Amino acid sequence: TMLNLELFQTLKSDREEHSFLETIDHTITNMGGRMLNDWLHRPLLFQESIEARLDVIEWLLKEEDLRTELAQYLNQLIA
């Protein structure tokens, strides 16, 4: 299923270019990219865990000042 959905590489070229992961990966650090990759390889299975993750994401989306501050700190890590 992962292969047919082209999550990590395309069927035509066997490269990451134009894969689902490459399309949605807007992470700032290598660590964030690895985490996103891991999340796609091992998705959550239990509703409670999924809802907890979604709650955190919703909270971060509402906290624009905090997101800006976090992005500044993350940019310092890669500078």
Side-chain angles (χ1 to χ4, degrees):
T1 301
M2 288 182 176
L3 180 65
N4 288 327
L5 290 174
E6 298 183 324
L7 295 181
F8 306 103
Q9 63 188 27
T10 61
L11 291 172
K12 290 182 181 179
S13 66
D14 287 339
R15 293 188 302 172
E16 287 184 19
E17 188 176 8
H18 305 298
S19 69
F20 178 73
L21 176 60
E22 193 260 343
T23 302
I24 66 165
D25 187 357
H26 298 286
T27 56
I28 296 173
T29 64
N30 290 335
M31 183 173 47
R34 287 190 300 271
M35 179 186 290
L36 179 59
N37 189 345
D38 186 54
W39 284 4
L40 288 175
H41 273 96
R42 295 186 293 140
L44 297 174
L45 301 176
F46 300 105
Q47 183 174 351
E48 186 176 290
S49 301
I50 294 167
E51 289 176 0
R53 183 179 289 172
L54 289 173
D55 288 344
V56 171
I57 292 169
E58 181 181 25
W59 176 75
L60 275 172
L61 287 172
K62 290 178 182 177
E63 298 293 330
E64 187 174 346
D65 292 339
L66 178 60
R67 279 196 335 270
T68 301
E69 190 175 341
L70 285 171
Q72 290 172 352
Y73 286 123
L74 291 172
N75 281 322
Q76 289 176 6
L77 289 174
I78 60 172

Short mmCIF file of all heavy atoms in Angstrom, two decimals, residues 31-76:
data_model
loop_
_atom_site.label_atom_id
_atom_site.label_comp_id
_atom_site.label_asym_id
_atom_site.label_seq_id
_atom_site.Cartn_x
_atom_site.Cartn_y
_atom_site.Cartn_z
N MET A 31 15.92 16.92 12.06
CA MET A 31 15.24 16.16 13.10
C MET A 31 13.72 16.13 12.85
O MET A 31 13.08 15.09 12.97
CB MET A 31 15.54 16.74 14.49
CG MET A 31 14.94 15.97 15.62
SD MET A 31 15.46 16.53 17.27
CE MET A 31 15.26 18.28 17.21
N GLY A 32 13.16 17.28 12.46
CA GLY A 32 11.74 17.33 12.15
C GLY A 32 11.39 16.48 10.93
O GLY A 32 10.36 15.81 10.90
N GLY A 33 12.26 16.51 9.93
CA GLY A 33 12.05 15.69 8.74
C GLY A 33 12.08 14.20 9.05
O GLY A 33 11.27 13.43 8.53
N ARG A 34 13.01 13.82 9.94
CA ARG A 34 13.08 12.40 10.34
C ARG A 34 11.83 12.00 11.12
O ARG A 34 11.31 10.89 10.96
CB ARG A 34 14.34 12.14 11.17
CG ARG A 34 15.61 12.14 10.34
CD ARG A 34 16.81 11.65 11.12
NE ARG A 34 17.11 12.44 12.29
CZ ARG A 34 17.90 13.50 12.32
NH1 ARG A 34 18.49 13.91 11.21
NH2 ARG A 34 18.14 14.15 13.44
N MET A 35 11.32 12.91 11.96
CA MET A 35 10.12 12.61 12.73
C MET A 35 8.92 12.43 11.80
O MET A 35 8.14 11.48 11.95
CB MET A 35 9.82 13.71 13.75
CG MET A 35 8.56 13.43 14.55
SD MET A 35 8.08 14.77 15.64
CE MET A 35 9.36 14.69 16.86
N LEU A 36 8.77 13.32 10.83
CA LEU A 36 7.67 13.20 9.89
C LEU A 36 7.76 11.89 9.12
O LEU A 36 6.76 11.18 8.95
CB LEU A 36 7.68 14.39 8.91
CG LEU A 36 6.59 14.40 7.86
CD1 LEU A 36 5.20 14.41 8.48
CD2 LEU A 36 6.78 15.61 6.94
N ASN A 37 8.95 11.54 8.67
CA ASN A 37 9.17 10.28 7.97
C ASN A 37 8.78 9.10 8.86
O ASN A 37 8.08 8.17 8.42
CB ASN A 37 10.65 10.19 7.56
CG ASN A 37 10.94 9.02 6.65
OD1 ASN A 37 10.15 8.11 6.51
ND2 ASN A 37 12.10 9.05 6.04
N ASP A 38 9.18 9.15 10.11
CA ASP A 38 8.85 8.08 11.06
C ASP A 38 7.34 7.99 11.28
O ASP A 38 6.78 6.89 11.34
CB ASP A 38 9.58 8.32 12.39
CG ASP A 38 9.40 7.18 13.37
OD1 ASP A 38 9.70 6.03 12.99
OD2 ASP A 38 8.97 7.45 14.50
N TRP A 39 6.69 9.14 11.41
CA TRP A 39 5.23 9.14 11.61
C TRP A 39 4.52 8.48 10.43
O TRP A 39 3.53 7.79 10.61
CB TRP A 39 4.71 10.55 11.81
CG TRP A 39 4.98 11.13 13.17
CD1 TRP A 39 5.68 10.56 14.19
CD2 TRP A 39 4.54 12.39 13.64
NE1 TRP A 39 5.70 11.40 15.28
CE2 TRP A 39 5.01 12.54 14.96
CE3 TRP A 39 3.81 13.43 13.09
CZ2 TRP A 39 4.75 13.66 15.73
CZ3 TRP A 39 3.57 14.55 13.84
CH2 TRP A 39 4.02 14.66 15.15
N LEU A 40 5.02 8.72 9.21
CA LEU A 40 4.39 8.11 8.04
C LEU A 40 4.68 6.61 7.95
O LEU A 40 3.84 5.84 7.50
CB LEU A 40 4.84 8.81 6.76
CG LEU A 40 4.28 10.21 6.55
CD1 LEU A 40 4.90 10.84 5.30
CD2 LEU A 40 2.78 10.19 6.43
N HIS A 41 5.88 6.21 8.38
CA HIS A 41 6.21 4.79 8.36
C HIS A 41 5.46 4.00 9.43
O HIS A 41 5.16 2.83 9.25
CB HIS A 41 7.72 4.57 8.54
CG HIS A 41 8.48 4.62 7.28
ND1 HIS A 41 9.10 5.76 6.83
CD2 HIS A 41 8.72 3.67 6.35
CE1 HIS A 41 9.70 5.50 5.69
NE2 HIS A 41 9.48 4.23 5.37
N ARG A 42 5.21 4.66 10.57
CA ARG A 42 4.54 3.98 11.69
C ARG A 42 3.38 4.84 12.19
O ARG A 42 3.49 5.51 13.21
CB ARG A 42 5.55 3.72 12.80
CG ARG A 42 6.63 2.74 12.38
CD ARG A 42 7.55 2.35 13.50
NE ARG A 42 8.37 3.50 13.91
CZ ARG A 42 8.67 3.78 15.18
NH1 ARG A 42 8.26 3.01 16.14
NH2 ARG A 42 9.42 4.82 15.46
N PRO A 43 2.26 4.85 11.47
CA PRO A 43 1.13 5.70 11.88
C PRO A 43 0.51 5.24 13.20
O PRO A 43 0.61 4.07 13.57
CB PRO A 43 0.13 5.54 10.73
CG PRO A 43 0.52 4.29 10.04
CD PRO A 43 1.99 4.09 10.27
N LEU A 44 -0.11 6.18 13.87
CA LEU A 44 -0.80 5.85 15.12
C LEU A 44 -1.99 4.94 14.81
O LEU A 44 -2.64 5.08 13.77
CB LEU A 44 -1.29 7.14 15.79
CG LEU A 44 -0.21 8.12 16.23
CD1 LEU A 44 -0.84 9.40 16.75
CD2 LEU A 44 0.69 7.49 17.28
N LEU A 45 -2.27 4.04 15.72
CA LEU A 45 -3.32 3.06 15.51
C LEU A 45 -4.54 3.28 16.39
O LEU A 45 -5.64 2.85 16.05
CB LEU A 45 -2.78 1.64 15.76
CG LEU A 45 -1.61 1.21 14.88
CD1 LEU A 45 -1.13 -0.16 15.29
CD2 LEU A 45 -1.99 1.24 13.41
N PHE A 46 -4.35 3.92 17.52
CA PHE A 46 -5.44 4.04 18.49
C PHE A 46 -6.04 5.44 18.47
O PHE A 46 -5.32 6.45 18.44
CB PHE A 46 -4.93 3.70 19.90
CG PHE A 46 -4.39 2.29 19.97
CD1 PHE A 46 -3.03 2.06 20.01
CD2 PHE A 46 -5.26 1.21 19.98
CE1 PHE A 46 -2.53 0.77 20.05
CE2 PHE A 46 -4.77 -0.08 20.03
CZ PHE A 46 -3.40 -0.31 20.07
N GLN A 47 -7.35 5.50 18.51
CA GLN A 47 -8.07 6.76 18.41
C GLN A 47 -7.61 7.76 19.46
O GLN A 47 -7.45 8.95 19.17
CB GLN A 47 -9.57 6.52 18.52
CG GLN A 47 -10.38 7.79 18.36
CD GLN A 47 -11.87 7.53 18.32
OE1 GLN A 47 -12.32 6.40 18.24
NE2 GLN A 47 -12.65 8.59 18.38
N GLU A 48 -7.39 7.30 20.68
CA GLU A 48 -6.98 8.20 21.76
C GLU A 48 -5.65 8.89 21.43
O GLU A 48 -5.49 10.09 21.64
CB GLU A 48 -6.85 7.41 23.06
CG GLU A 48 -6.56 8.26 24.27
CD GLU A 48 -6.55 7.40 25.54
OE1 GLU A 48 -7.63 6.94 25.94
OE2 GLU A 48 -5.45 7.23 26.08
N SER A 49 -4.71 8.14 20.88
CA SER A 49 -3.40 8.70 20.50
C SER A 49 -3.54 9.68 19.35
O SER A 49 -2.90 10.74 19.33
CB SER A 49 -2.44 7.59 20.11
OG SER A 49 -2.26 6.69 21.16
N ILE A 50 -4.36 9.33 18.39
CA ILE A 50 -4.58 10.21 17.23
C ILE A 50 -5.21 11.52 17.68
O ILE A 50 -4.77 12.61 17.29
CB ILE A 50 -5.48 9.50 16.19
CG1 ILE A 50 -4.74 8.29 15.60
CG2 ILE A 50 -5.90 10.46 15.09
CD1 ILE A 50 -5.63 7.35 14.81
N GLU A 51 -6.22 11.44 18.55
CA GLU A 51 -6.88 12.65 19.03
C GLU A 51 -5.94 13.51 19.87
O GLU A 51 -5.99 14.74 19.79
CB GLU A 51 -8.14 12.28 19.81
CG GLU A 51 -9.24 11.76 18.90
CD GLU A 51 -10.48 11.30 19.64
OE1 GLU A 51 -10.50 11.37 20.89
OE2 GLU A 51 -11.43 10.86 18.97
N ALA A 52 -5.08 12.88 20.66
CA ALA A 52 -4.12 13.64 21.46
C ALA A 52 -3.17 14.42 20.56
O ALA A 52 -2.87 15.59 20.80
CB ALA A 52 -3.34 12.70 22.38
N ARG A 53 -2.67 13.76 19.50
CA ARG A 53 -1.78 14.45 18.56
C ARG A 53 -2.51 15.60 17.86
O ARG A 53 -1.97 16.70 17.73
CB ARG A 53 -1.23 13.47 17.52
CG ARG A 53 -0.25 14.13 16.57
CD ARG A 53 0.32 13.17 15.56
NE ARG A 53 1.23 12.23 16.20
CZ ARG A 53 1.76 11.19 15.58
NH1 ARG A 53 1.47 10.93 14.32
NH2 ARG A 53 2.60 10.40 16.22
N LEU A 54 -3.75 15.35 17.45
CA LEU A 54 -4.53 16.40 16.78
C LEU A 54 -4.81 17.57 17.73
O LEU A 54 -4.82 18.73 17.29
CB LEU A 54 -5.83 15.82 16.24
CG LEU A 54 -5.69 14.90 15.03
CD1 LEU A 54 -7.04 14.26 14.70
CD2 LEU A 54 -5.12 15.63 13.84
N ASP A 55 -5.03 17.29 19.00
CA ASP A 55 -5.25 18.37 19.98
C ASP A 55 -4.02 19.25 20.09
O ASP A 55 -4.13 20.49 20.17
CB ASP A 55 -5.60 17.79 21.35
CG ASP A 55 -7.00 17.20 21.41
OD1 ASP A 55 -7.82 17.50 20.50
OD2 ASP A 55 -7.27 16.43 22.35
N VAL A 56 -2.84 18.65 20.11
CA VAL A 56 -1.60 19.43 20.20
C VAL A 56 -1.42 20.27 18.94
O VAL A 56 -1.05 21.45 19.01
CB VAL A 56 -0.38 18.52 20.44
CG1 VAL A 56 0.91 19.28 20.32
CG2 VAL A 56 -0.49 17.86 21.80
N ILE A 57 -1.70 19.69 17.80
CA ILE A 57 -1.57 20.42 16.54
C ILE A 57 -2.55 21.59 16.50
O ILE A 57 -2.18 22.71 16.13
CB ILE A 57 -1.79 19.48 15.34
CG1 ILE A 57 -0.63 18.49 15.24
CG2 ILE A 57 -1.94 20.26 14.04
CD1 ILE A 57 -0.85 17.36 14.27
N GLU A 58 -3.78 21.35 16.93
CA GLU A 58 -4.78 22.41 16.97
C GLU A 58 -4.32 23.54 17.89
O GLU A 58 -4.44 24.72 17.55
CB GLU A 58 -6.12 21.86 17.44
CG GLU A 58 -7.22 22.90 17.48
CD GLU A 58 -8.55 22.32 17.96
OE1 GLU A 58 -8.54 21.30 18.69
OE2 GLU A 58 -9.58 22.91 17.63
N TRP A 59 -3.78 23.19 19.05
CA TRP A 59 -3.30 24.18 20.00
C TRP A 59 -2.17 25.01 19.39
O TRP A 59 -2.15 26.24 19.49
CB TRP A 59 -2.84 23.48 21.28
CG TRP A 59 -2.24 24.40 22.29
CD1 TRP A 59 -2.92 25.27 23.10
CD2 TRP A 59 -0.87 24.55 22.59
NE1 TRP A 59 -2.03 25.94 23.90
CE2 TRP A 59 -0.75 25.53 23.60
CE3 TRP A 59 0.29 23.96 22.11
CZ2 TRP A 59 0.45 25.92 24.12
CZ3 TRP A 59 1.50 24.35 22.63
CH2 TRP A 59 1.58 25.32 23.63
N LEU A 60 -1.23 24.34 18.73
CA LEU A 60 -0.11 25.06 18.11
C LEU A 60 -0.59 25.98 16.98
O LEU A 60 -0.04 27.07 16.79
CB LEU A 60 0.93 24.09 17.57
CG LEU A 60 1.96 23.59 18.56
CD1 LEU A 60 2.80 22.48 17.94
CD2 LEU A 60 2.85 24.71 19.05
N LEU A 61 -1.58 25.55 16.24
CA LEU A 61 -2.10 26.40 15.17
C LEU A 61 -2.73 27.68 15.72
O LEU A 61 -2.65 28.74 15.11
CB LEU A 61 -3.12 25.63 14.33
CG LEU A 61 -2.54 24.58 13.40
CD1 LEU A 61 -3.65 23.76 12.76
CD2 LEU A 61 -1.65 25.21 12.34
N LYS A 62 -3.35 27.59 16.90
CA LYS A 62 -3.97 28.76 17.53
C LYS A 62 -2.93 29.70 18.14
O LYS A 62 -3.18 30.90 18.26
CB LYS A 62 -4.96 28.31 18.61
CG LYS A 62 -6.19 27.66 18.05
CD LYS A 62 -7.11 27.20 19.18
CE LYS A 62 -8.33 26.49 18.65
NZ LYS A 62 -9.18 25.97 19.73
N GLU A 63 -1.79 29.17 18.57
CA GLU A 63 -0.76 29.94 19.26
C GLU A 63 0.28 30.48 18.26
O GLU A 63 1.42 30.04 18.23
CB GLU A 63 -0.08 29.08 20.33
CG GLU A 63 -1.00 28.60 21.42
CD GLU A 63 -1.52 29.74 22.29
OE1 GLU A 63 -0.81 30.75 22.46
OE2 GLU A 63 -2.65 29.60 22.80
N GLU A 64 -0.13 31.46 17.49
CA GLU A 64 0.75 31.99 16.42
C GLU A 64 2.05 32.58 16.98
O GLU A 64 3.12 32.35 16.41
CB GLU A 64 0.00 33.04 15.60
CG GLU A 64 0.78 33.48 14.39
CD GLU A 64 -0.02 34.40 13.50
OE1 GLU A 64 -1.25 34.50 13.66
OE2 GLU A 64 0.61 35.04 12.64
N ASP A 65 1.97 33.31 18.08
CA ASP A 65 3.19 33.89 18.66
C ASP A 65 4.17 32.81 19.10
O ASP A 65 5.38 32.92 18.87
CB ASP A 65 2.85 34.80 19.85
CG ASP A 65 2.10 36.05 19.44
OD1 ASP A 65 2.19 36.43 18.25
OD2 ASP A 65 1.44 36.65 20.30
N LEU A 66 3.65 31.77 19.70
CA LEU A 66 4.49 30.66 20.13
C LEU A 66 5.13 29.96 18.93
O LEU A 66 6.31 29.62 18.95
CB LEU A 66 3.69 29.66 20.96
CG LEU A 66 4.44 28.41 21.42
CD1 LEU A 66 5.63 28.78 22.31
CD2 LEU A 66 3.50 27.47 22.15
N ARG A 67 4.34 29.75 17.86
CA ARG A 67 4.89 29.13 16.65
C ARG A 67 6.02 29.96 16.06
O ARG A 67 7.04 29.42 15.64
CB ARG A 67 3.79 28.94 15.60
CG ARG A 67 2.93 27.74 15.81
CD ARG A 67 2.13 27.33 14.59
NE ARG A 67 1.84 28.37 13.63
CZ ARG A 67 0.77 29.15 13.66
NH1 ARG A 67 -0.11 29.05 14.62
NH2 ARG A 67 0.57 30.04 12.70
N THR A 68 5.85 31.26 16.05
CA THR A 68 6.88 32.15 15.53
C THR A 68 8.14 32.05 16.37
O THR A 68 9.26 31.95 15.84
CB THR A 68 6.38 33.61 15.52
OG1 THR A 68 5.20 33.67 14.70
CG2 THR A 68 7.43 34.56 14.98
N GLU A 69 7.98 32.04 17.68
CA GLU A 69 9.12 31.93 18.58
C GLU A 69 9.82 30.57 18.41
O GLU A 69 11.06 30.50 18.36
CB GLU A 69 8.66 32.11 20.03
CG GLU A 69 9.78 32.26 21.02
CD GLU A 69 9.28 32.56 22.42
OE1 GLU A 69 8.12 32.99 22.58
OE2 GLU A 69 10.06 32.34 23.36
N LEU A 70 9.05 29.51 18.32
CA LEU A 70 9.63 28.18 18.10
C LEU A 70 10.40 28.12 16.79
O LEU A 70 11.49 27.55 16.72
CB LEU A 70 8.54 27.11 18.11
CG LEU A 70 7.96 26.73 19.46
CD1 LEU A 70 6.75 25.81 19.27
CD2 LEU A 70 9.00 26.06 20.33
N ALA A 71 9.85 28.71 15.74
CA ALA A 71 10.52 28.72 14.44
C ALA A 71 11.84 29.46 14.52
O ALA A 71 12.84 29.04 13.92
CB ALA A 71 9.61 29.35 13.39
N GLN A 72 11.89 30.55 15.28
CA GLN A 72 13.14 31.30 15.45
C GLN A 72 14.19 30.43 16.15
O GLN A 72 15.35 30.40 15.75
CB GLN A 72 12.89 32.58 16.24
CG GLN A 72 12.11 33.61 15.46
CD GLN A 72 11.70 34.80 16.31
OE1 GLN A 72 11.86 34.81 17.53
NE2 GLN A 72 11.12 35.81 15.67
N TYR A 73 13.79 29.73 17.19
CA TYR A 73 14.73 28.84 17.89
C TYR A 73 15.22 27.72 16.98
O TYR A 73 16.39 27.38 16.97
CB TYR A 73 14.09 28.25 19.16
CG TYR A 73 13.97 29.22 20.29
CD1 TYR A 73 12.73 29.49 20.88
CD2 TYR A 73 15.09 29.87 20.81
CE1 TYR A 73 12.61 30.39 21.93
CE2 TYR A 73 14.96 30.78 21.86
CZ TYR A 73 13.74 31.02 22.40
OH TYR A 73 13.62 31.92 23.43
N LEU A 74 14.30 27.14 16.22
CA LEU A 74 14.69 26.06 15.31
C LEU A 74 15.63 26.56 14.22
O LEU A 74 16.58 25.87 13.84
CB LEU A 74 13.44 25.41 14.70
CG LEU A 74 12.58 24.62 15.66
CD1 LEU A 74 11.28 24.19 14.99
CD2 LEU A 74 13.33 23.40 16.19
N ASN A 75 15.37 27.77 13.73
CA ASN A 75 16.28 28.35 12.72
C ASN A 75 17.67 28.56 13.28
O ASN A 75 18.66 28.44 12.56
CB ASN A 75 15.72 29.66 12.18
CG ASN A 75 14.64 29.43 11.15
OD1 ASN A 75 14.73 28.51 10.34
ND2 ASN A 75 13.61 30.25 11.18
N GLN A 76 17.78 28.88 14.57
CA GLN A 76 19.09 29.04 15.20
C GLN A 76 19.84 27.70 15.25
O GLN A 76 21.07 27.67 15.17
CB GLN A 76 18.94 29.62 16.60
CG GLN A 76 18.51 31.06 16.62
CD GLN A 76 18.27 31.57 18.03
OE1 GLN A 76 18.52 30.87 19.01
NE2 GLN A 76 17.78 32.80 18.14
#
